[in-house]
Amino acid sequence: MADDSPTRGAKPDTTESTAWPGRTSNDEWWPERLSLEILDQNTSDDPLGEEFDYAEAFQSLDLEEVKADIEDVLTDPQDWWPADYGHYGPFMIRMAWHSAGTYRAYDGRGGAAGGRQRFAPINSWPDNANLDKARRLLWPVKQKYGKALSWSDLIVLAGNVAIESMGFKTFGFGGGREDAFDTDKAVNWGPEEEMETQERFDEPGEIQEGLGASVMGLIYVNPEGPNGEPDPEASAKNIRQTFSRMAMDDKQTAALIAGGHTFGKVHGADDPDENLGPEPEAAPIEQMGLGWQNDGTKGGEMITSGIEGPWTQDPTWWDMGYVDNLLDYEWEPERGPGGAWQWTPKDGELENSAPDAMDEDERVTPMMLTTDIALKRDPDYREIMEEFQESPMEFGMAFAKAWYKLTHRDMGPPERLLGPEVPDETMIWQDPIPEVDHDLIGDADVEQLKETILDSELSRSQLVKTAWASASTYRDSDKRGGANGARVRLEPQRSWEVNDPEELETALETYEEIQTEFNEGRSDDVRVSLADLIVLGGNAAIEEAAAAAGYDVEVPFEPGRTDATAEQTDTEAFEALKPKVDGFRNYIREGLEQPAETLLVDKADLLNLGPDEMTVLVGGMRTLGATYGDSDLGVLTDDPGTLDNDFFSNLLSMDTEWEEASEGTQVYEGYDRDTGELQWRGTRADLIFGSNSRLRAISEVYAADDGEEQLVEDFVDAWTKVMRADRFDLE
């Protein structure tokens, strides 16, 4: 929820980004900034190096000492950025919230991991005005602990320490967020070309699919109300939609807003248009990366947004002040001193009941945002708020758990969380799976099971597609999905169109029979899970397909996966993992407007694949015949099921001339140049490997007469990477 949001932003060059149609790039927002892209080809973007083990370094910290150092910062006001009420706690809460609050359930991108609040565009969003100062206040702590404490962990931990220092018990903290050293170029933040504008509504109140916020440059919604109008009912609709985009229900949403606004104030003592300098990416070099030069601080009145005032009478202490003020008093809209819409108590109630942020001898009147009044006007939110008022304990627990979810949602399963404050309880949103409670299969068992699988009626393509359907749900963005848990056998994945449900049903029934026969036939405690069997079946099919091409390979396999239950699976949350396009299986949802190759690259990024890994997986899957609906699209071989280089050699051959089959289908037909006969059919997700210069260069390696063996080896490596993507227990 935006609690300090300037009313203006930079306007970029209007040239559309070529990286993602409809998205504006950082270079377009800030054309004068220094570009370092030419250096990217010379080095990794991580100065810590590939050998650095962050988990080991983090666990060497004394977390209590780190927290004590952070708390010292909170109560040590600096002249260059004064502390409201002598305490930076609310400032740090806003920083942590706005770091984590960029998360979107749609693609798992955003969130606190990576500490990307430090980079454009997020570091220069209007909603993050002056948070650059919060990070500078924390620099002495970061400097002291160095690489053992990432910025991304420090930002969240500072939020926790701030809350605890003001009388509230947090639910816990898990470290383990590694820092990024550049922005995430894969994220689509929206189509707008000017900050604080909104061109993302397909219809009134309906934000375009895939976007999290309602306005460019804000974390969620406009605090003044939609389009800057104080309309609480319309604001409630936007709040519900934007918070649901980050997987929060109504109770969690209300708890977060009420709990967060129990602390601190907003800053709009004057018009930000007239008092704030340019944002960090546009600021002069002598400001050393700080933006929004704030003339108001000279008089002790900091300016961030056009909204001014605290929510409660005790802004640095956890209490019921926010809930009581909101529900017990009537509020009316007015223009605040900064020119923005805010709400004030009617009939002079609560007048001068709160302390001034900078002068303890002065008193001020609490205020509310339109987004606060929305919690009172919307019937469902109001019912929740009244429950909180009747039960402060329930309110506290709801906020504690919602804050924990907010700040840990993108970290994946609990085993990835580090430190002494990780809660014992596993939440449903952490996608729990059972622990291994039996002995694992050994090498002889693996060979026996592979033989049994290959002797079944399942084809190589069925085995490969089933394993891919299970494992390729993985998203490196938020560490969700993957083969562990075998959720491909549960709803909603079992019914996804991309998984060919009827064919999948046949495969699952076969695997269940093999599992039952194996497990019941053991006299010891060795058992095999369906999750392991599904991956093992794909591996066995690849080994057999490689042998058919003349290559003896062994696909690495590590048992240890377990099978999740329906009770451990949040079906609504998993629906977000459903692919619209899977270029690896050549699946394109009907009516899709985005180019298939763009979404292929997007999925490859979520799988943490490089261009070469994406290329070899597509080519290998095609020759294996592992396509959606067993279609011939992209199967550029006369011998499907054999792992060879036919896809690449035929795709790059000048013997074929390609034509669009029909407009808008993204399907193409390849004709023999001499005879004019139809030879092949493919999609944009196939032709891109011949048309794009970088991908063609990679494809040429595999298409060459001596490239087939490398294709097989590289395919096995890339396949294994996907199958093991969620095996955090092996790290």
Side-chain angles (χ1 to χ4, degrees):
M1 176 65 60
D3 60 352
D4 254 331
S5 174
T7 56
R8 295 290 183 270
K11 183 175 181 179
D13 183 283
T14 56
T15 305
E16 186 179 79
S17 168
T18 57
W20 187 293
R23 182 181 72 181
T24 306
S25 73
N26 285 335
D27 290 338
E28 291 157 0
W29 281 113
W30 300 285
E32 300 302 320
R33 76 180 196 139
L34 176 66
S35 173
L36 298 178
E37 288 187 351
I38 60 171
L39 300 182
D40 290 342
Q41 61 190 341
N42 300 328
T43 181
S44 163
D45 68 351
D46 187 346
L48 300 179
E50 294 182 1
E51 300 302 317
F52 175 65
D53 187 337
Y54 178 66
E56 181 180 352
F58 177 85
Q59 294 186 88
S60 71
L61 294 172
D62 181 336
L63 193 62
E64 286 303 315
E65 180 185 352
V66 176
K67 292 177 68 173
D69 288 341
I70 294 172
E71 189 158 5
D72 287 344
V73 169
L74 300 182
T75 53
D76 183 19
Q78 302 297 312
D79 290 340
W80 58 267
W81 192 255
D84 294 337
Y85 316 105
H87 201 300
Y88 290 117
F91 196 28
M92 297 298 169
I93 293 172
R94 176 174 166 243
M95 174 192 62
W97 187 333
H98 284 213
S99 177
T102 57
Y103 174 80
R104 302 101 56 92
Y106 173 80
D107 58 7
R109 295 189 174 105
R116 288 191 166 96
Q117 190 185 75
R118 299 170 294 149
F119 308 119
I122 306 173
N123 71 343
S124 292
W125 278 355
D127 219 2
N128 288 336
N130 293 321
L131 289 181
D132 49 353
K133 285 80 172 179
R135 296 189 297 275
R136 292 296 174 90
L137 288 166
L138 286 174
W139 167 240
V141 178
K142 170 61 178 167
Q143 186 175 32
K144 175 179 177 179
Y145 295 102
K147 58 188 177 183
L149 179 63
S150 67
W151 268 113
S152 43
D153 273 344
L154 175 56
I155 287 170
V156 172
L157 184 59
N160 270 31
V161 172
I163 292 172
E164 292 169 354
S165 74
M166 294 184 288
F168 185 82
K169 174 65 175 176
T170 63
F171 191 72
F173 171 79
R177 304 166 187 82
E178 297 185 34
D179 277 342
F181 289 87
D182 196 3
T183 187
D184 185 352
K185 299 179 178 65
V187 183
N188 175 18
W189 294 119
E192 294 84 1
E193 296 175 345
E194 186 172 353
M195 291 291 180
E196 294 195 284
T197 58
Q198 50 185 46
E199 300 168 14
R200 57 185 63 201
F201 289 86
D202 293 326
E203 56 184 77
E206 294 299 324
I207 303 169
Q208 290 174 13
E209 185 179 49
L211 301 180
S214 64
V215 180
M216 171 57 75
L218 302 188
I219 301 298
Y220 301 117
V221 302
N222 190 329
E224 296 182 73
N227 298 308
E229 296 298 325
D231 183 342
E233 288 79 7
S235 182
K237 183 174 183 178
N238 279 1
I239 291 169
R240 181 168 284 110
Q241 187 170 41
T242 57
F243 273 78
S244 70
R245 295 286 174 98
M246 56 175 291
M248 295 290 180
D249 61 25
D250 277 3
K251 186 172 184 179
Q252 293 164 338
T253 299
L256 277 174
I257 295 172
H261 291 181
T262 294
F263 304 112
K265 67 182 293 288
V266 285
H267 302 82
D270 207 337
D271 188 342
D273 285 347
E274 299 177 2
N275 289 274
L276 292 183
E279 65 277 10
E281 290 300 313
I285 193 170
E286 65 270 18
Q287 290 186 19
M288 298 295 287
L290 292 179
W292 301 291
Q293 185 164 337
N294 194 330
D295 293 336
T297 58
K298 295 178 181 178
E301 294 180 329
M302 292 174 287
I303 297 169
T304 300
S305 66
I307 309 173
E308 171 61 28
W311 288 272
T312 75
Q313 292 88 330
D314 194 353
T316 58
W317 194 251
W318 174 264
D319 58 21
M320 295 298 293
Y322 173 87
V323 176
D324 291 340
N325 284 352
L326 178 66
L327 296 180
D328 292 348
Y329 298 93
E330 292 301 314
W331 299 82
E332 58 187 358
E334 68 172 10
R335 293 280 186 183
W341 284 110
Q342 57 188 71
W343 294 66
T344 190
K346 284 186 176 181
D347 303 323
E349 293 185 302
L350 296 179
E351 185 173 1
N352 296 328
S353 62
D356 183 79
M358 293 296 164
D359 187 344
E360 60 183 17
D361 295 327
E362 294 291 326
R363 309 295 292 177
V364 299
T365 301
M367 62 85 233
M368 291 283 167
L369 309 174
T370 300
T371 45
D372 297 311
I373 304 302
L375 300 183
K376 186 174 184 177
R377 297 283 182 87
D378 180 89
D380 293 332
Y381 283 138
R382 181 177 183 120
E383 183 178 349
I384 294 168
M385 295 300 295
E386 288 174 346
E387 290 175 2
F388 288 164
Q389 189 176 41
E390 292 174 5
S391 176
M393 183 70 73
E394 181 184 355
F395 173 40
M397 183 55 69
F399 175 65
K401 287 194 171 183
W403 176 263
Y404 182 74
K405 179 178 181 179
L406 170 75
T407 52
H408 294 76
R409 186 68 177 89
D410 62 338
M411 291 193 72
E415 59 260 37
R416 295 192 68 250
L417 276 58
L418 308 174
E421 296 188 1
V422 177
D424 292 332
E425 182 180 351
T426 299
M427 316 296 167
I428 188 67
W429 52 264
Q430 293 176 300
D431 303 336
I433 57 173
E435 294 184 2
V436 176
D437 61 357
H438 54 78
D439 292 338
L440 300 179
I441 55 177
D443 293 343
D445 301 318
V446 167
E447 293 306 315
Q448 174 193 335
L449 286 166
K450 285 197 293 188
E451 184 176 341
T452 302
I453 292 168
L454 292 174
D455 285 343
S456 73
E457 295 182 357
L458 298 178
S459 67
R460 294 175 196 167
S461 66
Q462 283 180 291
L463 295 171
V464 170
K465 283 198 295 182
T466 304
W468 183 264
S470 182
S472 68
T473 54
Y474 177 74
R475 303 192 309 196
D476 199 57
S477 53
D478 58 358
K479 309 300 188 289
R480 298 192 66 210
N484 204 354
R487 286 188 167 93
V488 72
R489 77 195 201 287
L490 304 174
E491 296 297 347
Q493 295 179 40
R494 192 174 187 132
S495 298
W496 285 350
E497 181 184 9
V498 67
N499 289 339
D500 289 318
E502 291 186 9
E503 184 179 274
L504 176 62
E505 188 76 21
T506 299
L508 292 175
E509 288 176 357
T510 300
Y511 279 126
E512 287 168 357
E513 292 172 2
I514 294 172
Q515 181 197 37
T516 299
E517 182 179 353
F518 178 86
N519 288 348
E520 291 184 354
R522 302 293 301 207
S523 59
D524 53 18
D525 198 33
V526 173
R527 299 290 182 271
V528 65
S529 65
L530 281 171
D532 271 344
L533 269 180
I534 290 168
V535 172
L536 188 60
N539 289 6
I542 291 168
E543 291 172 354
E544 191 173 63
Y551 302 97
D552 182 15
V553 298
E554 181 178 353
V555 182
F557 175 77
E558 288 282 351
R561 300 170 183 84
T562 61
D563 300 329
T565 65
E567 291 71 28
Q568 293 172 316
T569 302
D570 185 338
T571 56
E572 184 177 352
F574 270 94
E575 195 65 40
L577 276 64
K578 180 180 179 180
K580 297 181 214 39
V581 165
D582 184 355
F584 296 95
R585 285 178 281 184
N586 232 343
Y587 168 76
I588 304 174
R589 190 175 69 184
E590 187 175 345
L592 194 73
E593 296 181 357
Q594 292 167 293
E597 69 272 21
T598 298
L599 294 176
L600 168 63
V601 170
D602 185 65
K603 184 168 183 63
D605 175 69
L606 291 173
L607 287 170
N608 196 29
L609 301 173
D612 53 340
E613 293 168 321
M614 178 185 74
T615 301
V616 77
L617 278 171
V618 169
M621 294 277 282
R622 296 292 191 272
T623 61
L624 290 167
T627 57
Y628 164 71
D630 294 325
S631 90
D632 63 352
L633 290 174
V635 184
L636 311 183
T637 178
D638 294 324
D639 190 20
T642 300
L643 187 56
D644 56 28
N645 67 351
D646 280 3
F647 172 82
F648 294 110
S649 61
N650 288 321
L651 180 70
L652 302 186
S653 172
M654 291 305 297
D655 293 339
T656 304
E657 185 174 12
W658 291 91
E659 296 179 2
E660 189 173 10
S662 58
E663 187 175 355
T665 63
Q666 304 203 39
V667 174
Y668 293 77
E669 295 174 338
Y671 294 88
D672 187 290
R673 287 185 187 273
D674 292 334
T675 67
E677 293 182 358
L678 178 64
Q679 290 286 100
W680 315 111
R681 297 172 68 244
T683 69
R684 295 183 65 92
D686 299 305
L687 270 60
I688 194 64
F689 294 96
S691 65
N692 178 273
S693 58
R694 285 191 64 190
L695 296 179
R696 186 180 183 95
I698 298 169
S699 300
E700 287 171 349
V701 173
Y702 298 129
D705 290 346
D706 64 352
E708 191 170 77
E709 184 173 4
Q710 183 173 352
L711 178 145
V712 172
E713 293 173 355
D714 292 354
F715 180 84
V716 168
D717 289 343
W719 172 270
T720 303
K721 179 176 179 178
V722 173
M723 295 300 119
R724 287 182 172 178
D726 64 340
R727 292 296 303 276
F728 305 114
D729 56 312
L730 299 179
E731 295 180 357

